């Protein structure tokens, strides 16, 4: 995942999912095993993008991957500071090097986290503003978009697996009976992971709408 991805941005996730699938192309040791590897990557990606949607609760995930300039190099915030949530709606960032206070402040201000940094002597505090009902509905819509992206990615993997099974039958590697068995097995796994997407989405929607 691109660390510079900001909290409520849309549009980059199709590219990220394509990258996830490209990285998993080599998993052909055993068909079902390879397919599950790809599905797990899709689920992990979904967890990641949904975690970045701000729900009104403080979480290090909201800021830990912000890119901060550190002595000429760009580093994720979690690599240059300790991040804690002492209160339900407060994030505290404590740089290990006090010289990083200003770069961290700039990184937060230039991002879309939607929070203004409050600078103390050796730490930076972020107050999580409560979400309006309208904003909650927008976040639910975004979450559903992420879920649909995951379903599309799963469907593409399924199509590849089905084509592979067809080719095996045509090449004489498996019988027609075995072809149908493998197709049924693939569909069973696809249904399992589509259900995971639905479950993850429902949980996220509940989290967003909980005041």
């Amino acid at each position: 995942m691109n660390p510079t991805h900001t909290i409520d941005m849309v549009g980059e996730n199709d590219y990220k999912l394509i990258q996830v699938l490209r990285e998993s192309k080599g998993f052909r040791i055993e068909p079902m095993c390879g397919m599950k590897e790809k599905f797990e990557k899709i689920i992990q990606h979904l967890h990641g993008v949904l975690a970045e949607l701000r729900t009104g609760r403080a979480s290090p995930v909201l800021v830990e991957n912000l890119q901060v300039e550190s002595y000429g190099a760009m580093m994720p915030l979690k690599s240059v500071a300790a991040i804690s949530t002492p209160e339900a709606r407060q994030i505290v960032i404590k740089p290990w090097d006090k010289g990083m206070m200003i770069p961290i402040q700039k990184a937060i201000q230039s991002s879309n986290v939607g929070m203004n940094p409050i600078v103390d002597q050796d730490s930076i505090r972020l107050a999580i503003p409560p979400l309006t009902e309208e904003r909650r509905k927008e976040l639910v819509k975004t979450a559903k978009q992420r879920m649909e992206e995951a379903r599309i990615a799963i469907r593409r993997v399924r199509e590849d697996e089905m084509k592979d099974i067809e080719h095996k039958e045509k090449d004489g590697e498996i019988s027609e009976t075995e072809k149908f068995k493998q197709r049924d097995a693939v569909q069973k796994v696809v249904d399992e992971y589509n259900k995971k997407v639905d479950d993850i989405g429902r949980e996220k929607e509940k989290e967003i709408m909980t005041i």
Side-chain angles (χ1 to χ4, degrees):
M1 185 183 297
N2 184 351
T4 60
H5 176 72
T6 52
I7 301 307
D8 291 330
M9 289 288 286
V10 299
E12 295 184 5
N13 292 283
D14 287 334
Y15 171 77
K16 292 178 182 178
L17 279 173
I18 290 170
Q19 289 299 104
V20 166
L21 294 178
R22 282 177 177 170
E23 291 170 3
S24 63
K25 287 291 185 184
F27 293 108
R28 302 301 301 171
I29 298 174
E30 199 280 324
M32 292 293 287
C33 177
M35 181 177 63
K36 287 183 178 181
E37 288 277 0
K38 294 175 184 178
F39 287 163
E40 284 297 328
K41 284 179 177 287
I42 292 167
I43 293 298
Q44 289 171 13
H45 177 81
L46 179 62
H47 275 299
V49 294
L50 290 182
E52 292 180 350
L53 297 179
R54 183 166 64 81
T55 62
R57 299 180 189 175
S59 171
V61 174
L62 297 176
V63 296
E64 63 184 14
N65 286 319
L66 290 180
Q67 290 291 284
V68 181
E69 185 175 357
S70 176
Y71 301 102
M74 300 306 292
M75 303 283 289
L77 178 57
K78 61 185 176 183
S79 296
V80 298
I83 307 170
S84 61
T85 54
E87 298 179 16
R89 289 188 174 177
Q90 186 180 89
I91 297 174
V92 174
I93 302 164
K94 191 168 185 177
W96 293 312
D97 179 350
K98 287 187 178 181
M100 293 300 299
M101 291 284 286
I102 292 178
I104 290 173
Q105 184 179 357
K106 288 181 178 179
I108 295 169
Q109 290 171 333
S110 63
S111 74
N112 279 354
V113 297
M115 294 175 280
N116 292 319
I118 302 169
V119 181
D120 293 328
Q121 185 175 358
D122 60 354
S123 65
I124 296 172
R125 289 183 291 114
L126 299 175
I128 311 292
L131 298 176
T132 63
E133 183 177 356
E134 181 180 359
R135 183 59 182 147
R136 291 178 190 277
K137 290 178 179 178
E138 289 176 359
L139 289 174
V140 168
K141 183 178 179 180
T142 300
K144 288 181 177 179
Q145 290 173 344
R146 300 295 173 262
M147 291 167 61
E148 184 57 26
E149 289 163 4
R151 292 191 193 98
I152 291 171
I154 288 172
R155 187 158 61 245
R156 288 173 179 168
V157 174
R158 176 191 179 279
E159 289 171 357
D160 288 344
E161 292 296 327
M162 293 301 189
K163 287 178 183 178
D164 189 48
I165 292 170
E166 291 291 338
H167 289 153
K168 285 181 179 179
E169 188 209 6
K170 288 179 180 179
D171 294 342
E173 295 181 30
I174 59 175
S175 66
E176 184 178 18
T177 300
E178 181 61 25
K179 177 187 77 172
F180 287 116
K181 285 182 179 179
Q182 289 191 16
R183 284 172 62 92
D184 288 344
V186 167
Q187 188 59 51
K188 183 177 180 181
V189 177
V190 168
D191 292 343
E192 173 189 338
Y193 278 88
N194 275 327
K195 185 178 183 301
K196 286 186 179 183
V197 170
D198 291 340
D199 291 343
I200 293 168
R202 276 195 296 269
E203 187 63 28
K204 188 64 181 183
E205 182 174 352
K206 180 181 177 182
E207 178 186 339
I208 291 170
M209 297 306 294
T210 299
I211 298 176

